[in-house]
Amino acid sequence: VDDKGKTTTLTKEQVVRGKRLFIASCASCHVGGGTRTNQNVGLAIEELSGATPNRATIEGLVDYLNNPTTYDGLKDISEVHPSIKGGDIWPKMRTMKQQDADSDALRVAGRVKP
């Protein structure tokens, strides 16, 4: 679901590619829908929707992969969370393209527990 409430149906290829990207780039810190950087915040829809800005949409997740911030949105955390912005710190993010971030976010959205 996007920020306007529109539902998107993923192709099998999008899911497969996103799954591979998630496993390669995110799974080591997001085991079982949790987060290593903040144990009080997981990947459940209700938790992501409480973030500022809202992270419970594909657009919100893509924005986070580009510009990660604290849950309240007040502090940049690109030095402690892999992001495209922090590619100089996070080697695995150096070659990630915007299309990859979009696919990864789609896969994260698929892994979020309702």
Side-chain angles (χ1 to χ4, degrees):
V1 178
D2 68 15
D3 59 348
K4 294 178 180 85
K6 180 183 174 194
T7 301
T8 301
T9 302
L10 306 177
T11 66
K12 182 178 180 178
E13 292 78 22
Q14 285 175 303
V15 173
V16 169
R17 180 164 174 72
K19 181 178 180 180
R20 286 182 187 146
L21 286 165
F22 184 88
I23 290 168
S25 302
C26 309
S28 62
C29 292
H30 293 286
V31 178
T35 58
R36 188 176 290 174
T37 56
N38 184 343
Q39 300 295 323
N40 298 316
V41 178
L43 298 179
I45 292 288
E46 60 274 358
E47 292 173 273
L48 293 175
S49 63
T52 303
N54 184 337
R55 302 298 187 188
T57 66
I58 292 169
E59 290 84 2
L61 291 171
V62 170
D63 178 63
Y64 187 81
L65 289 172
N66 285 303
N67 301 295
T69 59
T70 53
Y71 192 73
D72 59 12
L74 298 177
K75 184 178 177 188
D76 178 298
I77 60 168
S78 59
E79 291 186 5
V80 296
H81 189 281
S83 66
I84 293 171
K85 177 181 179 179
D88 57 328
I89 301 169
W90 305 99
K92 63 186 169 188
M93 301 301 283
R94 289 181 190 151
T95 58
M96 185 175 277
K97 299 174 186 157
Q98 191 60 46
Q99 177 184 350
D100 293 335
D102 293 347
S103 296
D104 199 19
L106 291 172
R107 180 60 191 156
V108 172
R111 291 179 62 90
V112 170
K113 297 177 182 178

